[in-house]
Amino acid sequence: MSTNLKQLAAALNLSTSTVSRALHDSHEISTETKIRVRALAEQMGYQANPYASSLRKQKSKTIALVIPEIDNNFFTHAINGIEEIAQKKAYHVLIYLTHEDLQKELAVAKHLQSGRVDGILMSVTSQTSNVEHLDKLHQQGIPLVFFDRVAETIDTAKITTNDYESGYQATQHLIEAECTKIAYLQVSETLSISQKRLSGFRTALQDNGITPLDDYMITCGHSATENFEMIKKLMSSSNPPDGIFASVEKLAVTTYYVCDALGIKIPEEVKIISFSNLATAPLLAPSLSTITQPAFEIGKKAAEVLFDIIEQKNLEDAKAVTILNSVLTERNSTKKPVISDRL
Amino acid sequence: MSTNLKQLAAALNLSTSTVSRALHDSHEISTETKIRVRALAEQMGYQANPYASSLRKQKSKTIALVIPEIDNNFFTHAINGIEEIAQKKAYHVLIYLTHEDLQKELAVAKHLQSGRVDGILMSVTSQTSNVEHLDKLHQQGIPLVFFDRVAETIDTAKITTNDYESGYQATQHLIEAECTKIAYLQVSETLSISQKRLSGFRTALQDNGITPLDDYMITCGHSATENFEMIKKLMSSSNPPDGIFASVEKLAVTTYYVCDALGIKIPEEVKIISFSNLATAPLLAPSLSTITQPAFEIGKKAAEVLFDIIEQKNLEDAKAVTILNSVLTERNSTKKPVISDRL
DNA sequence: CTGTTAGCGCCTTCAG
DNA sequence: CTGAAGGCGCTAACAG
């Protein structure tokens, strides 16, 4: 058991209130006692019991981060940004993985009604369409910020990227590379970012007078092996696509595997563009054009906005939709990728 | 403000203790009241205040995960394992990133003396040599489990991989591929895993009658651009290596960038083997042989052992060193990589 | 089976 | 400038 206020106070011949105030640098405590108190506190390794403080102050100095998966460079980089801001604010970060499972998201949401955290950063599951559980949190007044995968109907802050435009650009990129039979790979039909990317894709096709083929719309699941089979079927059909738009990094990778297995040459026989935050992609797969979301910045921004809401500063933030721009990087054999310290 | 016990009790015409007991399914409460209580609790969305419970019970149902970086597939996969176990145990996970910075590790360690968590899972910084701060935590009786990057001198549970053997095998692999001038790339000299990997490397060279060259020992830092320059200098020297052992994935990637920049062909002019948990490595970089640590399993095991210590079960676990085996995957153009759902 | 009481450790009025 | 007292919400010992 670690030392508590009472013990410290006793050792100093002071009351707990004085000690507490001294440690909080209250102006109504003499410099002398402050020094005395702090010296002993330091020496005894005193750390205030966070649960007692939280109970008393009704503030936990903790935020929750709820994401669908962690084995994904977008989220990994976002966490870096979030953690940077949280650390600066001396907040703690509880991490919850929903594994793209709505049931888990429901459980987490329910739990978070307890007041365990002062705010929530969230990217929803690909299954999430009904958002009652999230609305309830919001109604309850818990600061809530969505990033990337947002619940559109909930009237709170959202940080996203320009998914429609990126989807359009990516498609345009393939068209300019002379693809005419372009397949679209996605993992969800309900996520708003999926819809926006897809919408950009569709409009770009339309603007170029290309009619989308139903057979070229592939909605994958979360099993790598099943996805492999779905894409394999696509690529080995009698009329295979000559361009692939992977709306998610992992599907681009799976496509690579499929092409490798079928002996299809990339980019000679099929060109690929993908949303991706894989830092190594440009070099390791020089034929992969990518759309990179500014994940680190999104994380930072999301955390900043959340803290604004928590601290009731910049109140307009509470309902703002912030859109950061993704970067399209075109790959070919002449352009060399550049190494950098941060994505 | 969410509903609390008192309100619930008032609404039910019961005492708080009865309600509390009912919710905890105490055997000394009639089935009837239990049902009544639960019904209303459910309806009112009652969630016990975790800070009050924690204060009262002196248990937080929370563990801390302290890692040096998250932008690293090993840790990413480990988190998946850890989270799986934590979820099963209904524990919460606080995540702390030290960014390879000893100062941050010190700050976190100090904070964790507060009793905020019931146990700690930790992988130390590459700078960590003095471990007083960690020893203090351990002395204080906080359950502590190290994984991968362990503090050897602290007498608590550790989960690692067979780093010496892997280092040996990796080197042997290069030698069998007819490399004679093998460089070793590392990020730290102090980490015990670094030392073990290096030791395996050295012994393998020795066993094959190869004298290690000082110029082939590169200790990199954390700046991608600086590392790039160091490796570039190595590769463009008058006597460049014909084999590279990257003890860390990111250095293998940097080496790829360097070779790309210098026009050095892999694997014709230089062969590379690397510790790596990059799922896509085998396909995207078919010339990269890898040593893959069972990160997911390590995470699971570490969490399991931590919970054993917390629950005082399998007491021998508290000091056990568990060693899981890494897998060496040899790459060449004839062997096809396999896709799988989990690393 | 249910209620009363006390206290976890801290912060914060209110008093001096 | 410092101390005493009360209570945040919950649980557990002690009554009945």
Side-chain angles (χ1 to χ4, degrees):
Chain A
M1 201 71 289
S2 54
T3 40
N4 61 22
L5 256 196
K6 213 163 147 188
Q7 294 165 20
L8 237 182
L12 287 160
N13 260 321
L14 287 170
S15 71
T16 57
S17 32
T18 304
V19 175
S20 174
R21 277 184 284 227
L23 292 172
H24 286 277
D25 203 17
S26 161
H27 53 274
E28 47 185 2
I29 296 289
S30 72
T31 325
E32 192 192 8
T33 34
K34 273 186 193 169
I35 293 173
R36 230 163 48 90
V37 170
R38 284 192 199 137
L40 192 64
E42 180 63 30
Q43 191 204 313
M44 296 177 68
Y46 172 77
Q47 291 288 121
N49 181 316
Y51 296 106
S53 308
S54 292
L55 176 58
R56 181 59 232 258
K57 297 198 290 192
Q58 304 287 11
K59 281 212 111 233
S60 61
K61 281 283 193 177
T62 305
I63 60 172
L65 169 61
V66 186
I67 55 175
E69 52 177 353
I70 192 160
D71 194 0
N72 173 323
N73 295 288
F74 172 81
F75 289 113
T76 273
H77 296 138
I79 293 174
N80 260 329
I82 290 163
E83 205 267 350
E84 178 171 315
I85 303 299
Q87 199 155 92
K88 196 182 292 174
K89 293 276 184 183
Y91 264 69
H92 300 262
V93 181
L94 278 168
I95 188 166
Y96 297 93
L97 307 181
T98 54
H99 298 287
E100 303 282 15
D101 178 349
L102 178 58
Q103 293 310 313
K104 292 209 167 137
E105 188 174 282
L106 287 169
V108 172
K110 186 168 177 188
H111 176 84
L112 290 179
Q113 291 186 64
S114 68
R116 184 180 286 271
V117 297
D118 295 343
I120 303 171
L121 286 173
M122 180 141 189
S123 238
V124 304
T125 285
S126 57
Q127 297 180 1
T128 307
S129 48
N130 179 323
V131 294
E132 259 181 65
H133 55 300
L134 306 177
D135 204 36
K136 202 182 268 179
L137 282 172
H138 182 227
Q139 295 303 339
Q140 212 173 110
I142 302 176
L144 178 59
V145 172
F146 290 104
F147 67 103
D148 198 51
R149 297 169 168 212
V150 305
E152 295 244 297
T153 56
I154 296 181
D155 191 24
T156 187
K158 305 178 182 77
I159 321 291
T160 64
T161 48
N162 56 340
D163 289 290
Y164 171 82
E165 290 79 4
S166 303
Y168 191 99
Q169 285 168 34
T171 311
Q172 194 66 38
H173 170 70
L174 290 175
I175 293 170
E176 282 165 14
E178 300 183 352
C179 297
T180 55
K181 302 183 294 181
I182 304 177
Y184 187 88
L185 312 181
Q186 64 180 0
V187 287
S188 163
E189 294 178 322
T190 49
L191 282 175
S192 76
I193 55 169
S194 302
Q195 290 171 351
K196 287 184 178 162
R197 289 173 188 180
L198 179 55
S199 174
F201 169 75
R202 288 217 166 106
T203 309
L205 288 190
Q206 207 173 339
D207 287 356
N208 287 275
I210 300 176
T211 316
L213 257 181
D214 282 351
D215 288 348
Y216 288 169
M217 271 298 310
I218 312 286
T219 301
C220 295
H222 301 299
S223 152
T225 42
E226 281 176 29
N227 294 347
F228 182 88
E229 290 308 322
M230 292 177 82
I231 296 173
K232 187 173 171 187
K233 190 176 160 204
L234 168 74
M235 296 310 294
S236 51
S237 75
S238 57
N239 185 28
D242 57 9
I244 302 273
F245 180 176
S247 67
V248 156
E249 178 178 304
K250 94 173 89 157
L251 295 181
V253 173
T254 306
T255 305
Y256 264 76
Y257 274 86
V258 168
C259 291
D260 184 61
L262 295 176
I264 296 172
K265 290 207 182 78
I266 306 168
E268 292 79 6
E269 298 176 52
V270 60
K271 296 186 172 59
I272 304 183
I273 189 165
S274 174
F275 273 82
S276 169
N277 279 272
L278 181 60
T280 57
L283 188 90
L284 298 183
S287 56
L288 181 67
S289 290
T290 52
I291 297 171
T292 306
Q293 298 183 88
F296 179 75
E297 297 302 331
I298 291 180
K300 265 177 68 170
K301 183 69 184 171
E304 282 164 356
V305 170
L306 182 64
F307 285 118
D308 277 352
I309 302 177
I310 290 176
E311 296 166 4
Q312 310 250 32
K313 291 196 309 200
N314 306 326
L315 290 169
E316 66 281 10
D317 269 7
K319 307 206 164 181
V321 174
T322 306
I323 299 176
L324 303 182
N325 288 331
S326 295
V327 177
L328 189 152
T329 308
E330 193 172 333
R331 301 295 172 201
N332 59 48
S333 50
T334 60
K335 286 194 196 163
K336 297 278 180 184
V338 177
I339 197 163
S340 81
D341 273 304
R342 182 152 262 163
L343 222 60
Chain B
M1 200 72 288
S2 54
T3 40
N4 61 24
L5 254 197
K6 213 163 147 187
Q7 294 165 19
L8 236 182
L12 287 158
N13 261 322
L14 285 171
S15 72
T16 58
S17 38
T18 305
V19 176
S20 174
R21 278 183 285 225
L23 292 171
H24 286 276
D25 203 18
S26 160
H27 53 273
E28 44 184 3
I29 297 289
S30 73
T31 325
E32 193 192 3
T33 35
K34 273 186 195 169
I35 292 172
R36 230 163 47 91
V37 169
R38 283 192 200 137
L40 191 64
E42 180 65 28
Q43 192 205 311
M44 297 177 68
Y46 172 77
Q47 291 287 123
N49 181 316
Y51 296 106
S53 305
S54 291
L55 177 59
R56 181 60 234 253
K57 297 198 290 192
Q58 304 288 12
K59 283 213 110 234
S60 62
K61 280 282 193 180
T62 305
I63 60 172
L65 170 60
V66 186
I67 55 175
E69 51 176 355
I70 193 160
D71 193 1
N72 174 319
N73 294 289
F74 172 80
F75 288 113
T76 273
H77 295 136
I79 293 174
N80 260 330
I82 290 162
E83 205 268 350
E84 179 171 316
I85 303 299
Q87 199 157 93
K88 197 181 290 172
K89 293 277 184 181
Y91 264 68
H92 301 262
V93 180
L94 279 168
I95 188 165
Y96 297 92
L97 306 181
T98 55
H99 298 288
E100 302 283 15
D101 178 350
L102 178 58
Q103 294 310 314
K104 294 211 166 134
E105 188 174 283
L106 287 169
V108 172
K110 187 170 177 187
H111 176 84
L112 290 178
Q113 291 186 63
S114 67
R116 186 180 285 272
V117 297
D118 296 344
I120 302 170
L121 286 172
M122 180 141 190
S123 238
V124 304
T125 284
S126 57
Q127 298 179 1
T128 307
S129 50
N130 179 323
V131 294
E132 260 180 62
H133 57 299
L134 306 176
D135 204 37
K136 202 182 268 179
L137 282 171
H138 183 227
Q139 294 304 337
Q140 211 175 112
I142 302 175
L144 177 60
V145 172
F146 290 103
F147 67 103
D148 197 50
R149 296 168 167 214
V150 306
E152 294 243 297
T153 55
I154 297 181
D155 192 25
T156 186
K158 305 178 182 75
I159 321 292
T160 65
T161 48
N162 55 341
D163 290 289
Y164 171 83
E165 291 78 4
S166 303
Y168 191 100
Q169 284 169 33
T171 312
Q172 193 68 38
H173 170 69
L174 290 175
I175 293 170
E176 280 165 16
E178 301 182 354
C179 298
T180 55
K181 302 183 293 178
I182 304 177
Y184 187 88
L185 312 181
Q186 64 178 0
V187 287
S188 163
E189 294 179 321
T190 49
L191 282 175
S192 77
I193 54 169
S194 303
Q195 290 172 350
K196 287 185 178 161
R197 288 171 190 182
L198 179 56
S199 172
F201 170 73
R202 289 217 166 105
T203 309
L205 288 190
Q206 206 173 342
D207 287 357
N208 287 273
I210 300 176
T211 315
L213 256 181
D214 281 352
D215 290 348
Y216 287 170
M217 271 298 311
I218 313 285
T219 302
C220 294
H222 300 300
S223 153
T225 43
E226 282 177 29
N227 294 346
F228 182 89
E229 291 307 322
M230 291 178 83
I231 296 173
K232 188 172 170 189
K233 190 176 160 204
L234 168 74
M235 296 310 294
S236 51
S237 74
S238 57
N239 186 28
D242 57 9
I244 301 273
F245 180 175
S247 68
V248 156
E249 178 180 302
K250 92 172 89 156
L251 295 181
V253 173
T254 305
T255 304
Y256 264 76
Y257 275 85
V258 168
C259 290
D260 184 61
L262 295 175
I264 296 172
K265 291 206 180 78
I266 306 168
E268 291 78 6
E269 300 175 52
V270 60
K271 295 186 173 61
I272 304 182
I273 189 164
S274 174
F275 273 83
S276 168
N277 279 272
L278 181 61
T280 57
L283 188 88
L284 299 183
S287 56
L288 181 68
S289 290
T290 54
I291 297 170
T292 306
Q293 298 182 85
F296 179 75
E297 296 302 332
I298 290 179
K300 266 178 65 169
K301 183 69 184 171
E304 283 165 355
V305 169
L306 182 64
F307 285 118
D308 277 352
I309 302 177
I310 290 175
E311 296 166 3
Q312 310 251 29
K313 290 195 311 201
N314 307 326
L315 290 169
E316 65 283 8
D317 269 7
K319 310 207 163 181
V321 173
T322 307
I323 298 175
L324 303 182
N325 288 330
S326 296
V327 177
L328 190 153
T329 309
E330 192 171 335
R331 302 293 173 204
N332 59 48
S333 51
T334 59
K335 285 193 197 163
K336 298 277 181 185
V338 177
I339 198 162
S340 82
D341 274 304
R342 184 152 260 165
L343 221 59

